[in-house]
Amino acid sequence: MPSRTEHHSPAGVGRSLPERGLLLLAVLVLLEGSVLPLGAASSPDTNHQGNVDNHNEGNVGHNVTTKKPFPVLSLDYHHIQTPFEISLWVLLASLMKLGFHLIPRLSGIVPESCLLITVGLLVGGLIKLAGEKVPPVLDSRLFFLCLLPPIILDAGYFLPIRPFMENLGTILMFAVVGTLWNAFFIGGLLYAVCQIQPSNPSSLHQLELLPCLLFGSIVSAVDPVAVLAVFEEIHINELLHILVFGESLLNDAVTVVLYHLFEEYSGVGTVTVLDGFLGVICFFVVALGGVLVGAIYGILAAFTSRFTSHTRVIEPLFVFVYSYMAYLSAEMFHLSGIMALIACGAVMRPYVEANISHKSHTTIKYFLKMWSSVSETLIFIFLGVATVDGQHDWNWTFVTVTVILCLVARVIGVVGLTYIINKFRIVKLTTKDQFIVAYGGLRGAIAFSLGFLLDNDHFPKRNMFLTAIITVIFFTVFVQGMTIKPLVELLAVKKKQEAKRSINEEIHTQFLDHLLTGIEDICGHYGHHHWKDKLNRFNKKYVKKCLIAGERSKEPQLIAFYHKMEMKQAIELVESGGGVKLPAAMPSTVSMQNIQPKKPPPAKTAERALPQLPKGREEEIRKILRSNLQRTRQRLRSYNRHTLVADPFEDGFNELLLKKQRMIELEKKIKEMSNYLTVPAAPPDSPTMCRARLASDPQTYSMKPGSDNMPSIQVDLASPQSPDSVNMLDEFKLANQQRRQEEEDQGLMMKPPSSTGGHNKSGEEDGGRDQQKLMRCLSDPGPSADEDEDEPFLP
Amino acid sequence: MGSSSSGMKDVPDAQELVQETGFSAAHLLRLHERFEFLDRDGTGELRPEDFDAIRELAMNPIGDRIIRAFFSAGKETLDFPSFVRILAHFRPADKNRDRAQQEPANSRTRKLRFAFQLYDQDGDGKISRAELLQVLRLMLEMQVTEEQLQCIAERAIQEADLDQDDAISFDEFKKSLEKVDIDHKMSIRFLK
């Protein structure tokens, strides 16, 4: 296990001279790396012990010798050293991320992962230059137990289930067969190459077959962290993304089995057929066991979330803790922790989301994104630092052959497998797809950590392995990572579609599902749809009743989707109305919902959020409002206690639906105004920025372009208690006051204007521009409009 | 294609069907076997009651509509060529279709047209609000209130209805599904 660096100033110096101590502290901080929390777990005690001893000594000395003045300010670095250094690393990582995005051109050209590795190299170099020993930061335990799980959980929780399941066969083929092929091809050929080195009777000859195969298996696995980091920036279409990403997740089981198999027997030197056979069985145990463990914890989490209606605050905690425990439990049995984590996240998600409050949902999302983002950054920086630190054994032949073999094996593997797979796929994989899949096979920190775990005694070539692994990682991340984006552009690969899912799509896809299931039944063919339908039925009948609290268990998928959509729009609307100063000539059409007769505070927030309006208009508005108020009183009962931001499910969503109905009638008249034009693409985001910002990208809010009649939820205002709340009208409303007056009989809404022919065009554009302005002003978008979210359990 | 398996002789108009629908001979044979299985009284033609015997179809919310879709206007019986022609819609699309040819049954448009006709029961070429509501009621069964259904139907029509005639025409239907991979969604792998 790694040792701590022991270069600290003695505590005594600091205590007696505070200024020098502070200066020294600053220098220490700059020079020393972080200390591993786990490895250092024992040392703070000794440190503390040392401190106490010193202290005692000092005290004893104090008693015996003359009395020293009471130390007003003392320096005790050891006391806080470990957490302090960890925090420093995290801070450094986060500041680096900030920095990258302030340099405009850089983040567009170079993927973030490359920059972070470079930073790590720099930091490591600095430390080395200063003569200090570089701390072994990328310790395998730290990596596997602390840095990796958040990333995988984030990936698993937000895994798009439908494309994943649809392509499961393909993904499994790539993950299992592809990785096996890679491992044996690389390992075997490396051994052959090492053996044929006649001229240089170097250490290469000593290399046995089994260590070679072990090395092959370590270096052949596609790494989820690296894939995520790079692919998130290139916004490739969903199919390719899920293929490469799914492969990187599922090949963990293969890697685990191969690694343990070869590691066990490298000492012995031979692997018998029996061992091979046991290895195959082990693979199934590892994979299925991991999934089972994950699923069990997932169900437990779902079940627990059923009862959390009174303690909403700790709901996110259950999600995180159960998932982490699933990971640890799987690791305990040497099962595939990654698959456990994915299974746990994927299984628990639909049920947990039905149970928890909206705020908890947001919390979970943001926390996961934050942790995974920090983890990823730290991993790449540590990779850089570890490169500087490691004892490298550079062997030209070995390294270059490895790199070449990795590429070749990947290409052959992908092409070969695709040929077989295409026979079974409905939508075939084209050459372009194959190229991207092959090119996207990036290696990353997992390979490094696995190599790091190797024992130097059993594997005398460990350092050479590590060097080769690092070279491969650097090559794939830098070269492939940097060039994949231009290549994607060059090949005109289909990109990800940003628009939200519409309710039409949802209805029709469900309809088509039923249709296809019916046709399959007629044909007597038990295909894909048949089983999906069966599973859905089972889910609806038994599982949902157990795991989802209360009424929500009976809610059909379509309704849940619809509710979600409405809620998102409502929140969108509230936020887009907030903090925006519009020019007086073009007030927006957003009106603020403000019905809280019992609770004055929301009224205040609504007021704060309103834009400025010229005085004259305000007067008119108030006049209209006041005339309306007479009619609204008796209707208010049904719209009681409703704020947009609170969880509508808790406050009686049916009332909201009633309102929606009426508003939808009205929305027809404002179709042109609420034309949500597609906002031009935001500047390319770094992957983690993307993840961190979720859907603050204005694009994702915009509806499909050209669908002018997208009903926006014009929640309107009707609070008798706060006549001060101003409704923002637009030109048309004032123009059509007459019509409005008579329509007001129907209800309390501020009518959106009926479109008058001539005004439409300019109004449209302005309205559109307005919306654009509103969109861009969104600071905290709240829950994302990701399509991921809209995926029901079995879409 | 000159297949000489004994089963093929029983299949009426086998050659023409292969040409027309693009099924392979093996698939046609399989479908014929299925047809005969469903045809309990051995008349060589299917009736709606024969379809009712399929248990899973009874549980399908739109099962009735699917059955009725097989029986084109007014006819009470279904012969094998018609059976096959309808199922041809669900063949995965051929990648390199000769553009000059008449649009085959399994093209995207034809697939969508088939689905559209299931919605549009009165055959006027538009999905009216009432028809949409019917479908929603079928799919959502007893679990939702009438209001919720109205809301959803309203919103769906608003989203899709571009020419504002309060109904969804076939083109609007196609447009609303432009992002969905219909080839994938409406194909049965078995029928290749």
Side-chain angles (χ1 to χ4, degrees):
Chain A
M1 280 288 128
S3 56
R4 284 189 51 233
T5 52
E6 289 290 334
H7 307 268
H8 308 300
S9 69
V13 173
R15 244 193 287 146
S16 52
L17 299 162
E19 310 88 18
R20 250 181 76 189
L22 284 174
L23 187 60
L24 200 55
L25 172 66
V27 171
L28 278 175
V29 158
L30 281 175
L31 286 186
E32 288 187 341
S34 83
V35 179
L36 306 158
L38 300 169
S42 49
S43 26
D45 291 330
T46 53
N47 223 3
H48 181 68
Q49 200 55 37
N51 251 352
V52 169
D53 284 342
N54 276 342
H55 207 90
N56 281 339
E57 241 174 81
N59 270 343
V60 166
H62 168 94
N63 282 340
V64 168
T65 58
T66 55
K67 177 177 177 299
K68 290 202 186 100
F70 186 73
V72 174
L73 186 66
S74 53
L75 175 72
D76 192 359
Y77 184 59
H78 303 296
H79 191 55
I80 49 100
Q81 177 166 8
T82 310
F84 191 81
E85 286 171 349
I86 297 172
S87 310
L88 265 188
W89 276 108
V90 175
L91 191 61
L92 172 73
S94 314
L95 287 175
M96 283 299 122
K97 273 172 83 73
L98 277 185
F100 294 151
H101 293 284
L102 291 177
I103 308 173
R105 298 276 316 274
L106 200 58
S107 43
I109 307 174
V110 184
E112 211 174 83
S113 39
C114 305
L115 293 171
L116 289 170
I117 294 186
T118 321
V119 166
L121 286 172
L122 283 174
V123 171
L126 273 174
I127 296 181
K128 215 162 197 177
L129 273 179
E132 298 283 332
K133 182 174 176 308
V134 175
V137 283
L138 203 55
D139 172 51
S140 297
R141 272 181 76 198
L142 169 67
F143 176 75
F144 280 113
L145 294 183
C146 296
L147 291 179
L148 191 61
I151 302 180
I152 304 294
L153 179 59
D154 179 40
Y157 195 77
F158 294 110
L159 193 69
I161 297 284
R162 190 220 312 260
F164 187 75
M165 285 300 170
E166 281 180 358
N167 295 296
L168 192 60
T170 315
I171 293 176
L172 277 176
M173 274 289 269
F174 279 128
V176 177
V177 181
T179 312
L180 278 174
W181 157 260
N182 276 347
F184 283 104
F185 186 78
I186 296 175
L189 278 188
L190 261 180
Y191 180 65
V193 164
C194 289
Q195 292 304 95
I196 66 170
Q197 273 272 338
S199 55
N200 190 5
S202 68
S203 41
L204 282 185
H205 276 250
Q206 299 167 11
L207 209 49
E208 301 275 318
L209 177 62
L210 280 176
C212 274
L213 285 176
L214 177 61
F215 176 74
S217 66
I218 293 177
V219 91
S220 65
V222 177
D223 185 79
V225 179
V227 164
L228 260 179
V230 170
F231 270 54
E232 283 236 1
E233 289 183 358
I234 62 181
H235 297 299
I236 210 166
N237 69 50
E238 198 179 51
L239 171 67
L240 287 178
H241 186 260
I242 199 71
L243 279 182
V244 182
F245 183 58
E247 179 195 345
S248 68
L249 290 174
L250 294 187
N251 66 20
D252 181 56
V254 181
T255 312
V256 164
V257 171
L258 282 179
Y259 182 82
H260 282 126
L261 184 68
F262 291 133
E263 199 201 5
E264 279 277 325
Y265 294 115
S266 287
V268 180
T270 50
V271 176
T272 62
V273 175
L274 178 65
D275 295 323
F277 183 64
L278 286 176
V280 170
I281 297 188
C282 183
F283 164 71
F284 284 107
V285 168
V286 163
L288 296 174
V291 171
L292 188 67
V293 168
I296 292 177
Y297 274 98
I299 293 181
L300 277 176
F303 190 66
T304 312
S305 71
R306 189 178 160 181
F307 302 106
T308 56
S309 46
H310 300 292
T311 44
R312 295 267 180 211
V313 188
I314 55 172
E315 272 172 346
L317 188 67
F318 286 118
V319 171
F320 300 139
V321 171
Y322 273 114
S323 313
Y324 193 50
M325 285 191 67
Y327 180 75
L328 292 176
S329 307
E331 287 290 323
M332 179 168 69
F333 294 107
H334 279 302
L335 303 174
S336 167
I338 291 186
M339 291 181 79
L341 213 42
I342 301 279
C344 185
V347 163
M348 88 166 118
R349 188 176 169 206
Y351 307 110
V352 163
E353 287 204 340
N355 283 329
I356 62 177
S357 76
H358 190 68
K359 288 180 186 154
S360 298
H361 175 77
T362 312
T363 309
I364 292 178
K365 184 185 283 212
Y366 270 99
F367 261 86
L368 280 179
K369 301 290 184 194
M370 180 185 79
W371 271 331
S372 66
S373 171
V374 168
S375 261
E376 188 186 287
T377 315
L378 276 177
I379 288 178
F380 282 117
I381 291 187
F382 285 171
L383 255 181
V385 173
T387 311
V388 173
D389 166 44
Q391 307 117 333
H392 292 295
D393 181 6
W394 181 270
N395 184 312
W396 275 103
T397 326
F398 192 76
V399 173
T400 43
V401 169
T402 307
V403 174
I404 296 175
L405 278 182
C406 279
L407 287 174
V408 168
R410 177 87 183 151
V411 170
I412 298 180
V414 167
V415 170
L417 282 176
T418 315
Y419 178 72
I420 301 175
I421 290 171
N422 268 348
K423 294 208 203 303
F424 298 96
R425 279 181 69 90
I426 298 181
V427 177
K428 317 264 183 222
L429 293 176
T430 64
T431 320
K432 262 194 256 177
D433 295 337
Q434 292 174 37
F435 177 74
I436 298 290
V437 171
Y439 208 68
L442 306 172
R443 310 325 198 245
I446 291 187
F448 179 79
S449 306
L450 283 176
F452 201 83
L453 271 176
L454 290 177
D455 194 351
N456 224 334
D457 303 324
H458 286 167
F459 299 96
K461 297 272 143 224
R462 174 179 175 268
N463 293 329
M464 191 170 71
F465 285 173
L466 278 181
T467 312
I469 292 174
I470 288 188
T471 315
V472 171
I473 295 178
F474 272 42
F475 182 80
T476 55
V477 171
F478 277 90
V479 174
Q480 284 178 234
M482 277 206 269
T483 54
I484 199 167
K485 194 160 190 184
L487 274 174
V488 162
E489 302 284 335
L490 194 68
L491 292 175
V493 178
K494 252 192 344 180
K495 292 269 188 119
K496 186 166 160 189
Q497 291 167 328
E498 286 289 354
K500 279 203 300 193
R501 219 161 134 68
S502 72
I503 189 133
N504 267 295
E505 278 179 23
E506 184 69 25
I507 297 178
H508 297 318
T509 10
Q510 265 205 15
F511 186 81
L512 289 176
D513 275 337
H514 287 304
L515 172 62
L516 266 283
T517 311
I519 297 284
E520 279 188 359
D521 291 329
I522 292 179
C523 291
H525 168 61
Y526 290 145
H528 189 58
H529 289 95
H530 179 89
W531 294 116
K532 210 160 85 162
D533 191 58
K534 267 213 156 94
L535 193 57
N536 261 330
R537 248 180 250 283
F538 174 73
N539 186 28
K540 209 191 309 195
K541 207 160 152 198
Y542 300 112
V543 184
K544 274 194 182 172
K545 292 222 175 80
C546 286
L547 298 180
I548 300 184
E551 277 309 303
R552 301 287 306 277
S553 61
K554 297 201 206 70
E555 192 179 59
Q557 183 176 311
L558 195 59
I559 299 289
F561 177 81
Y562 177 69
H563 283 181
K564 254 197 215 161
M565 262 182 95
E566 297 279 290
M567 250 249 288
K568 274 185 209 166
Q569 270 205 310
I571 292 180
E572 234 176 83
L573 213 68
V574 170
E575 285 176 344
S576 66
V580 174
K581 278 202 166 80
L582 298 170
M586 206 50 236
S588 87
T589 53
V590 174
S591 49
M592 296 299 290
Q593 167 76 321
N594 204 352
I595 307 175
Q596 277 262 316
K598 293 192 181 118
K599 293 199 222 164
K604 297 274 188 305
T605 44
E607 279 174 358
R608 224 194 311 128
L610 297 173
Q612 319 284 336
L613 278 186
K615 276 293 170 199
R617 291 242 173 99
E618 271 195 273
E619 237 345 277
E620 286 164 0
I621 292 163
R622 283 172 213 249
K623 208 168 41 161
I624 294 161
L625 284 176
R626 258 175 257 128
S627 64
N628 255 346
L629 293 179
Q630 314 308 321
R631 299 187 196 107
T632 65
R633 284 194 193 273
Q634 67 258 40
R635 296 207 197 211
L636 262 184
R637 246 179 296 134
S638 24
Y639 309 125
N640 231 354
R641 282 188 59 237
H642 180 81
T643 48
L644 285 178
V645 195
D647 188 340
F649 298 125
E650 291 159 13
D651 290 358
F653 203 60
N654 286 327
E655 294 145 9
L656 179 62
L657 282 180
L658 255 166
K659 250 185 111 36
K660 290 291 169 288
Q661 228 182 317
R662 304 232 180 116
M663 285 194 298
I664 285 169
E665 286 160 30
L666 306 172
E667 277 155 14
K668 281 190 199 167
K669 294 161 194 143
I670 55 160
K671 272 179 223 163
E672 284 78 14
M673 286 310 291
S674 37
N675 181 14
Y676 281 47
L677 299 178
T678 319
V679 178
D685 289 290
S686 81
T688 39
M689 266 263 291
C690 260
R691 296 211 299 263
R693 285 193 320 153
L694 305 169
S696 62
D697 191 346
Q699 280 183 1
T700 54
Y701 277 135
S702 61
M703 315 295 175
K704 295 181 285 197
S707 55
D708 298 336
N709 3 343
M710 192 61 64
S712 54
I713 296 194
Q714 304 290 313
V715 192
D716 64 357
L717 122 102
S719 169
Q721 268 80 356
S722 51
D724 292 331
S725 323
V726 177
N727 191 6
M728 295 169 259
L729 305 172
D730 67 340
E731 302 179 338
F732 297 154
K733 279 186 189 170
L734 296 175
N736 294 333
Q737 236 180 31
Q738 285 311 316
R739 206 177 315 182
R740 216 181 333 101
Q741 290 291 3
E742 62 198 7
E743 281 169 346
E744 267 155 19
D745 289 326
Q746 292 177 23
L748 42 88
M749 336 298 178
M750 294 312 301
K751 306 295 194 232
S754 326
S755 48
T756 54
H759 290 281
N760 275 358
K761 271 266 160 61
S762 58
E764 210 175 288
E765 286 162 34
D766 288 337
R769 249 189 287 125
D770 240 355
Q771 296 297 30
Q772 287 186 17
K773 275 192 228 161
L774 292 178
M775 301 293 201
R776 291 207 183 103
C777 292
L778 293 176
S779 48
D780 180 9
S784 119
D786 264 347
E787 311 103 36
D788 301 331
E789 282 197 41
D790 300 341
E791 298 264 332
F793 173 60
L794 288 172
Chain B
M1 306 204 170
S3 160
S4 57
S5 62
S6 56
M8 285 306 282
K9 295 203 203 103
D10 305 328
V11 179
D13 313 317
Q15 294 282 48
E16 293 160 22
L17 283 176
V18 166
Q19 286 282 58
E20 189 187 328
T21 61
F23 280 127
S24 73
H27 282 135
L28 212 59
L29 194 55
R30 220 179 310 179
L31 286 175
H32 186 73
E33 281 165 10
R34 181 70 182 169
F35 185 84
E36 303 211 306
F37 173 76
L38 291 174
D39 180 16
R40 282 153 198 277
D41 39 6
T43 54
E45 286 182 333
L46 290 181
R47 299 172 186 294
E49 300 84 54
D50 295 322
F51 282 104
D52 290 333
I54 308 174
R55 208 167 25 101
E56 290 87 3
L57 208 53
M59 288 201 290
N60 196 318
I62 55 171
D64 290 328
R65 291 196 179 210
I66 300 177
I67 297 174
R68 259 181 287 140
F70 275 86
F71 297 89
S72 52
K75 290 175 59 174
E76 277 301 313
T77 58
L78 181 70
D79 59 359
F80 183 67
S82 318
F83 181 69
V84 173
R85 278 190 201 105
I86 303 247
L87 287 180
H89 288 296
F90 295 95
R91 221 161 52 79
D94 309 307
K95 270 286 170 3
N96 306 313
R97 198 157 58 81
D98 181 6
R99 290 279 160 209
Q101 271 176 5
Q102 191 209 20
E103 203 163 12
N106 62 346
S107 73
R108 190 174 197 271
T109 314
R110 294 284 297 272
K111 284 181 159 103
L112 283 174
R113 170 72 64 184
F114 185 78
F116 188 78
Q117 278 160 354
L118 283 177
Y119 275 99
D120 181 25
Q121 291 289 298
D122 57 6
D124 62 353
K126 290 185 184 300
I127 305 175
S128 71
R129 185 180 308 232
E131 286 169 342
L132 187 60
L133 267 173
Q134 266 184 344
V135 170
L136 283 174
R137 248 179 240 120
L138 282 175
M139 290 206 297
L140 296 174
E141 295 160 26
M142 292 294 139
Q143 296 152 1
V144 293
T145 64
E146 193 58 34
E147 278 164 0
Q148 286 177 317
L149 280 180
Q150 295 276 358
C151 277
I152 296 181
E154 182 63 53
R155 192 184 171 114
I157 292 204
Q158 281 214 297
E159 258 182 26
D161 192 13
L162 300 168
D163 55 6
Q164 293 158 26
D165 56 355
D166 212 28
I168 304 179
S169 71
F170 180 60
D171 289 318
E172 289 162 357
F173 182 72
K174 254 195 345 182
K175 191 158 195 336
S176 69
L177 285 176
E178 61 188 355
K179 292 214 182 57
V180 178
D181 186 359
I182 294 292
D183 255 345
H184 187 84
K185 199 105 188 92
M186 281 187 74
S187 299
I188 300 188
R189 206 174 303 219
F190 165 64
L191 303 176
K192 236 200 283 200

